Amino acid sequence: MAEKVTPVLKSARKERQNLQSFFNIAVSVDCVIFGYDKNELFVLLRESELEEYQGLFSLMGDLVRPNEDLTEASYRILFERTGLQHVYMEQVHTFGKVDRHPTGRVITTAYFCLVNMQDQRLAIAGRDVDWYPVRKVKQLAFDHQEILQLCIRQLQERVMERPMIFHLLPTRFSLRELQSVYEAILGVELDRRNFRKRIALKDWITDTQTMEKEVSHRPGKLYQVKSGYLNTTQSYQ
Amino acid sequence: MAEKVTPVLKSARKERQNLQSFFNIAVSVDCVIFGYDKNELFVLLRESELEEYQGLFSLMGDLVRPNEDLTEASYRILFERTGLQHVYMEQVHTFGKVDRHPTGRVITTAYFCLVNMQDQRLAIAGRDVDWYPVRKVKQLAFDHQEILQLCIRQLQERVMERPMIFHLLPTRFSLRELQSVYEAILGVELDRRNFRKRIALKDWITDTQTMEKEVSHRPGKLYQVKSGYLNTTQSYQ
DNA sequence: TCAAAAGTGTTTGAACTACACCCATGT
DNA sequence: ACATGGGTGTAGTTCAAACACTTTTGA
């Protein structure tokens, strides 16, 4: 094994000339931005700018700039559309069918983001974007429906395994709220007692010694995520 | 919510002109091709062609052609280097740092492939590629070490959950062989009795009513994967 | 006093772990 | 006879699921 063959070495500079003709696929990033409110999972959409998709909504996407890392591009798009930074983000998949974009050959890398819809810094008013309940989204421009579905699936697969759900909630939350977010994401009802035991086992959250106020029922304890579990950065880009 | 804003529509044709200046990031695919032999996990590597990485090995990669889906490109690269088709393949991650490639801006999508090193159709002799034990790979060209590590991690995370490991083995195999492949991938020793129970629970394999031959110990039963578990195609590209 | 959600424990089954002995074959 | 791996079962633990009643608050 491993016989050595002496290759004809190419320098990067010479190589660049040969490659120029291949620099003709555009690269984009699409952000699937999830939020949670009133027992419902929402996704941020905007109306497609393309004639071909008039009347349809699309995800937040843009081409990657020549001097921008892929993750930088994703954070830029998020910031441009929401005013938010330091948001939880995961790369999901890269979609590369030849005909997926009518403008030309564009491959796109999909990320999902989890944001707190109550965040005061969230600035979508006056922009061409809005929140839509994920359950009601039936059709999107491009292959964005497929992208959305895969992001939901990945969110569902990971949300019980890793402490990521807290990015969707305010700093302090009740166990009831936490359970409702899980139910909205997973699309199932959970048993309250089993849920509380499971969350206790994870050891992600801590009692804040405060209670809900101004609720028309017995107030619950408020919890917060333990420090160190609100990281937004990925290991790999 | 969802106030409508009337956007200025752009046609795909007009849009294409605006985008031309962005068609300047190259897109590549890197295949991490895994094989198994004699209690070891191997990866297929070749010597880097670039002066900058002289003496280092690299993964099998190439630029994506303008009329080629991302997965097509990955299968083409695999076929060019191994002569194999219809191989198990999963997309892992897309790496997009600005400076990851000395030739210019190249983002790359990594796939891992599982091949049977005993496959008669495997044709790497005379090509500039060879198998290296994964454990011994310490340094690679570009960011290929990072790509390899992430592919190994994804393989490890999924190999017990999905019936993919059989692509690394001949059609018929003993439970001992199967256990050894798991051990090579996971980097741990497994208890034989517990392993057999676990595999029985998965219900992936079936007894072939044949036995090992010409082994210098008590021969074991030979098994094969149940039909339907050797799919090579992915749901998403 | 009623409505609404908070809070809490037990029982069962499934799956995983650790662990030891006899069996069949080739040399 | 010996070396090598084949083949098997039990006991303990952990985790998940099913399931009901009392408590606290606001209206």
Side-chain angles (χ1 to χ4, degrees), chain B residues 118-156:
Chain B
Q118 271 62 251
D119 192 325
Q120 297 302 314
R121 292 161 295 189
L122 185 59
I124 61 167
R127 304 189 193 203
D128 186 14
V129 303
D130 217 329
W131 295 105
Y132 298 89
V134 166
R135 300 184 291 116
K136 291 190 181 158
V137 176
K138 300 293 182 215
Q139 199 188 359
L140 293 173
F142 311 100
D143 52 0
H144 286 187
Q145 185 70 25
E146 188 185 3
I147 295 176
L148 173 61
Q149 292 308 317
L150 192 63
C151 287
I152 292 170
R153 202 171 85 181
Q154 179 156 330
L155 175 61
Q156 289 174 334

Side-chain angles (χ1 to χ4, degrees), chain A residues 215-234:
Chain A
V215 288
S216 69
H217 54 76
R218 174 172 172 181
K221 285 187 189 171
L222 293 176
Y223 293 80
Q224 64 189 16
V225 66
K226 289 191 173 180
S227 66
Y229 287 141
L230 276 181
N231 297 324
T232 58
T233 51
Q234 287 187 286

Side-chain angles (χ1 to χ4, degrees), chain A residues 30 45-60 99-102 108 137-148:
Chain A
D30 283 296
L45 300 176
R46 67 194 193 104
E47 278 195 63
S48 173
E49 288 176 318
L50 286 187
E51 250 172 24
E52 285 82 350
Y53 292 120
Q54 189 168 5
L56 291 183
F57 293 94
S58 71
L59 300 169
M60 307 299 130
D99 61 356
R100 60 168 296 282
H101 197 297
T108 195
V137 176
K138 300 294 182 212
Q139 197 188 1
L140 292 173
F142 312 99
D143 52 359
H144 286 187
Q145 184 70 25
E146 188 185 3
I147 295 176
L148 173 61

Side-chain angles (χ1 to χ4, degrees), chain A residues 120-151:
Chain A
Q120 297 302 316
R121 292 162 293 189
L122 185 59
I124 62 168
R127 306 190 192 202
D128 187 13
V129 303
D130 216 330
W131 295 104
Y132 299 89
V134 166
R135 307 184 283 117
K136 292 189 180 159
V137 176
K138 300 294 182 212
Q139 197 188 1
L140 292 173
F142 312 99
D143 52 359
H144 286 187
Q145 184 70 25
E146 188 185 3
I147 295 176
L148 173 61
Q149 291 309 317
L150 193 62
C151 286

Side-chain angles (χ1 to χ4, degrees), chain B residues 62-228:
Chain B
D62 196 9
L63 294 173
V64 177
R65 295 177 180 167
N67 291 303
E68 191 175 51
D69 290 348
L70 212 50
T71 47
E72 273 179 51
S74 189
Y75 275 107
R76 172 177 56 80
I77 291 160
L78 177 80
F79 180 72
E80 286 172 359
R81 300 291 173 186
T82 66
L84 296 179
Q85 302 176 77
H86 311 303
V87 159
Y88 184 82
M89 193 179 281
E90 279 189 24
Q91 192 191 108
V92 175
H93 196 82
T94 297
F95 295 80
K97 283 192 185 152
V98 168
D99 61 356
R100 60 168 295 284
H101 197 296
T103 301
R105 182 71 198 275
V106 183
I107 73 148
T108 195
T109 300
Y111 288 79
F112 77 73
C113 313
L114 303 179
V115 313
N116 172 6
M117 282 173 69
Q118 271 62 251
D119 192 325
Q120 297 302 314
R121 292 161 295 189
L122 185 59
I124 61 167
R127 304 189 193 203
D128 186 14
V129 303
D130 217 329
W131 295 105
Y132 298 89
V134 166
R135 300 184 291 116
K136 291 190 181 158
V137 176
K138 300 293 182 215
Q139 199 188 359
L140 293 173
F142 311 100
D143 52 0
H144 286 187
Q145 185 70 25
E146 188 185 3
I147 295 176
L148 173 61
Q149 292 308 317
L150 192 63
C151 287
I152 292 170
R153 202 171 85 181
Q154 179 156 330
L155 175 61
Q156 289 174 334
E157 281 170 2
R158 301 192 173 174
V159 73
M160 273 294 189
E161 309 308 319
R162 304 181 193 175
M164 59 169 70
I165 199 169
F166 309 103
H167 295 272
L168 290 168
L169 283 166
T171 309
R172 296 181 171 197
F173 50 84
S174 67
L175 288 177
R176 172 72 206 154
E177 285 176 288
L178 184 61
Q179 181 175 341
S180 297
V181 190
Y182 275 111
E183 288 175 335
I185 291 173
L186 299 173
V188 294
E189 300 217 325
L190 301 173
D191 177 85
R192 190 155 43 103
R193 283 165 296 187
N194 293 336
F195 174 76
R196 283 163 188 241
K197 275 179 289 185
R198 211 162 152 185
I199 290 297
L201 264 179
K202 304 277 185 203
D203 199 30
W204 289 335
I205 62 177
T206 180
D207 190 337
T208 63
Q209 313 290 352
T210 55
M211 306 288 281
E212 283 181 296
K213 287 195 174 134
E214 296 165 26
V215 287
S216 71
H217 54 76
R218 174 173 170 180
K221 286 187 190 171
L222 293 175
Y223 293 81
Q224 64 189 16
V225 66
K226 289 190 173 180
S227 67

